[in-house]
Amino acid sequence: MVKGLSIFLLSAVMLLEATSLRASAEPSGEEKILAVVRKMISVFENVEDFTCETEVTYYNEGIEDQQWRIKFFFKKGKKFRVDFSYPYRGVSIFYRGGDEKLTVRPFRFLPALKFRFSVDAPIAKTPSGQRINQTDVGYFIRFIFNNLKSIEQRESEFQDDGERIQFLFWALDYIEGKSLEKYQVFVSRKNWFPLRVERYNLEGKLVELIIFKNYVINSHLEDELFVT
């Protein structure tokens, strides 16, 4: 009887140790998120150009306020172009990373008509206060990585259904880097680009919703697309 009890206790201890080892070997949610973001950075560094359609909904105190629909063009060398379909249909914005000014072309049928503005000009910012150099996918990926490394995560969520990955992280806002916010991000496993970003303030109210669609990657965009 004593011998049988000893064997039982030994087996229980071994089972607990094995379970503990498996638990310690399993990456935390934060580690899983960091691995995904590192993969996103690695993929993006090898992208020569891409286009995507973007729908952005802005909220005021959690209530839908404005919506923008745009097509975003990027080419290595920090060349950006944004074509509006709503609300400023026909308006195009051109920018080269590092420049102090951007170019706005209000009418596509009048390409000679254009205006130059500072990147900090209110007219050149989104309703949430973003400058054009803060709207790039690459900027957002680096923003995630930097905040995961520097901001204590209050909570982390991670889900992977084989086609897309969903995760939550905390960060200082990507406008001024002052207010703590929560971001829910959905990433495609097909191309490792973001599909959807939900931005919440500290009180849990939705501030901004971004949906990315119809990515076309490395299609050899012509330089003329970015010339004003």
Side-chain angles (χ1 to χ4, degrees), residues 35-37 39-41 43-44 137 141 160 165 187-194 217:
V36 169
V37 177
K39 176 67 175 179
M40 295 170 74
I41 292 172
V43 169
F44 190 80
V137 169
I141 295 172
D160 184 351
I165 295 168
V187 178
S188 168
R189 267 194 166 276
K190 180 180 178 181
N191 56 29
W192 296 97
F193 273 53
I217 299 171

Side-chain angles (χ1 to χ4, degrees), residues 198-226:
E198 300 170 7
R199 177 185 170 205
Y200 297 86
N201 64 18
L202 193 57
E203 290 73 39
K205 292 181 180 178
L206 190 58
V207 175
E208 190 174 345
L209 169 62
I210 309 172
I211 298 174
F212 303 92
K213 302 187 297 183
N214 301 325
Y215 280 107
V216 179
I217 299 171
N218 291 336
S219 62
H220 306 292
L221 295 177
E222 298 292 337
D223 286 336
E224 287 73 16
L225 269 171
F226 302 90

